[in-house]
Structures are given as C-alpha cells and as structure tokens.
C-alpha cells in the first residue's frame, strides 16, 4: 500500500505565499482553543462544536461527547494515546493524499463510515509496512501536503 502526495493543480498554486492558515500567528482552531481556555467558554464556531467543547471543558469525558469512530473522536485518541495502533484522523487532506487527487471544494464522502474506514485502513496498512503507527503516517503526510500548498 503506497500513499502519495498529489501534485498541485493550477488552482491550488499560491504563488510562493505562505499557507493562509500559517500566516498571522497560528492555525484558526488553535487560536479559538486558546481563547476558550483563557475565557472558560468556547465561541466563534458552529453551535455543535461549541456545545461539545464547553461540555469537555466542564469535565465531561470526551469519549462521551465526541463521535469516537470518525475524525474528531480519532483526533482525541491520537492526542490522548499517540501510540494507538488503530487511531488515524481522516480529514479532507488525508483523503486527497490517499486518493492522489486534490478535491478542492468537491465532496469527499467522509461522513460515510464505510468510506472513512476504507481510507483509515489504507493509512493503517501503509503504517504497518514501515513499522509506524497510523497517526504518525497521517500526520507526516498531512504536514507535507499542507506545506506544498
């Protein structure tokens, strides 16, 4: 199993500018998390995410709040247990890397559990081939993919 980073299309070219998320001091979600931690309440996101963040900050176990079989739950597991042999985060970038095509704004079908699990299994197989955990393979390919934009 081989994962390749897709080539950029003309629409993805940034003319040498830094990636918009890295410009100006950090990733938007990191800034929102810092703000929530400082102020004690989440804000400036969709209602469902704010509700979940506030419940977790109030002490509810994240496994009771997050959908543990898709992206956000897997992201939590990767943070809580970086050596977990099953956890892998499949987001739009992980999808595009796995299928060797940048989808841009097109639908990827990641809400379908079967499609999500198929891609996660690809990362698990690639990780097993090189003796790594899937989350590390996904993270390294994700960073390389983002830095190429």
């Amino acid at each position: 199993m081989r994962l390749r980073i897709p080539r950029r299309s003309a629409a993805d070219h940034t003319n040498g500018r830094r990636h918009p998320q890295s410009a100006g001091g950090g990733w938007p979600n990191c800034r929102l998390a810092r703000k929530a931690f400082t102020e004690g309440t989440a804000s400036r996101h969709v209602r469902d995410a704010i509700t979940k963040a506030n419940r977790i900050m109030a002490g509810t176990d994240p496994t009771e709040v997050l959908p543990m079989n898709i992206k956000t739950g897997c992201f939590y597991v990767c943070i809580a247990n970086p050596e977990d042999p099953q956890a892998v985060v499949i987001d739009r970038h992980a999808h595009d890397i796995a299928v060797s095509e940048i989808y841009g704004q097109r639908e990827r079908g990641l809400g379908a559990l079967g499609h999500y699990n198929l891609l996660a299994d690809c990362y698990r197989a690639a990780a097993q081939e090189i003796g790594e955990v899937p989350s590390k393979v996904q993270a390294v390919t994700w960073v390389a993919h983002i830095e190429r934009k």
Side-chain angles (χ1 to χ4, degrees):
M1 181 71 45
R2 190 168 157 226
L3 296 173
R4 296 183 328 199
I5 298 172
R7 296 188 187 280
R8 293 185 295 185
S9 69
D12 297 310
H13 188 65
T14 61
N15 293 322
R17 294 180 312 235
R18 289 173 45 178
H19 191 273
Q21 290 180 318
S22 64
W27 301 89
N29 286 341
C30 291
R31 288 192 300 269
L32 288 175
R34 278 189 218 97
K35 184 178 184 296
F37 182 75
T38 301
E39 296 176 0
T41 187
S43 64
R44 301 188 61 208
H45 212 291
V46 296
R47 182 176 304 206
D48 182 57
I50 290 171
T51 301
K52 288 175 181 174
N54 285 333
R55 285 182 62 200
I56 292 167
M57 288 191 308
T60 305
D61 185 332
T63 62
E64 294 177 23
V65 177
L66 302 173
M68 297 307 293
N69 57 347
I70 59 173
K71 180 181 145 185
T72 51
C74 292
F75 194 74
Y76 166 74
V77 173
C78 290
I79 292 169
N81 181 9
E83 296 303 315
D84 187 294
Q86 292 298 310
V88 60
V89 177
I90 304 299
D91 64 2
R92 62 192 178 104
H93 303 293
H95 168 278
D96 293 0
I97 293 163
V99 301
S100 298
E101 181 182 348
I102 296 174
Y103 269 50
Q105 297 302 313
R106 291 183 290 157
E107 174 60 39
R108 290 166 177 85
L110 296 177
L113 192 55
H115 187 64
Y116 187 96
N117 287 335
L118 174 66
L119 294 171
D121 285 344
C122 290
Y123 278 90
R124 289 182 191 109
Q128 186 174 21
E129 279 191 29
I130 62 170
E132 259 317 330
V133 291
S135 60
K136 190 177 286 186
V137 171
Q138 184 274 328
V140 168
T141 58
W142 188 92
V143 169
H145 177 69
I146 293 298
E147 292 297 318
R148 291 179 63 175
K149 284 189 163 190

